[in-house]
Amino acid sequence: QVQLVESGGGLVQPGGSLRLSCAASGTISSINAMGWYRQAPGKERELVASITSSDSTHYADSVKGRFTISRDNAKNTVYLQMNSLKPEDTAVYYCNVEYFYYILGITKASAAWGPGTLVTVSS
């Protein structure tokens, strides 16, 4: 079983910055892709940014040039640096981790979600 612990959310003024962190722990052999999603009130959850095991990144058009995703493989942690925040960035942010684990000599793939951290951009 894998647990994800998120941190870094909070209240920030428009134009400000926040850094989200998500640390994975538990029965993990290796981690494949890691990503951040967000869900605003009344809207569907959407992909914000993702990063593969080879550090290839993908960003939603709405955050390109403002957000940066990175990972520390030694710590099983993914980060989201958010700059030039806008009120429309207000949402609950969730991390997602795709990982492999061994059981009875077999490698299996799975994914886990963090509990979410609230980011509020308001003056």
Side-chain angles (χ1 to χ4, degrees):
Q1 191 172 1
V2 171
Q3 297 81 37
L4 302 183
V5 177
E6 300 162 349
S7 60
L11 174 64
V12 64
Q13 292 186 344
S17 298
L18 283 175
R19 188 191 194 209
L20 305 183
S21 299
C22 173
S25 63
T27 308
I28 299 173
S29 172
S30 63
I31 292 179
N32 188 17
M34 308 178 85
W36 288 96
Y37 292 71
R38 67 186 181 187
Q39 187 167 18
K43 294 187 177 181
E44 295 185 353
R45 189 174 298 189
E46 62 175 355
L47 175 65
V48 176
S50 63
I51 183 167
T52 68
S53 57
S54 58
D55 288 339
S56 175
T57 58
H58 170 80
Y59 296 94
D61 288 342
S62 59
V63 306
K64 282 181 181 177
R66 300 188 297 122
F67 290 9
T68 301
I69 189 170
S70 61
R71 60 191 284 170
D72 184 334
N73 293 325
K75 297 181 179 179
N76 286 344
T77 299
V78 61
Y79 305 96
L80 185 68
Q81 178 66 44
M82 305 185 293
N83 299 328
S84 302
L85 282 160
K86 304 175 181 180
E88 51 263 43
D89 294 318
T90 295
V92 178
Y93 284 70
Y94 300 89
C95 71
N96 177 269
V97 172
E98 298 177 0
Y99 63 95
F100 298 100
Y101 64 99
Y102 291 127
I103 183 168
L104 300 178
I106 300 173
T107 299
K108 293 193 175 184
S110 188
W113 287 93
T117 184
L118 178 61
V119 172
T120 303
V121 185
S122 175
S123 55

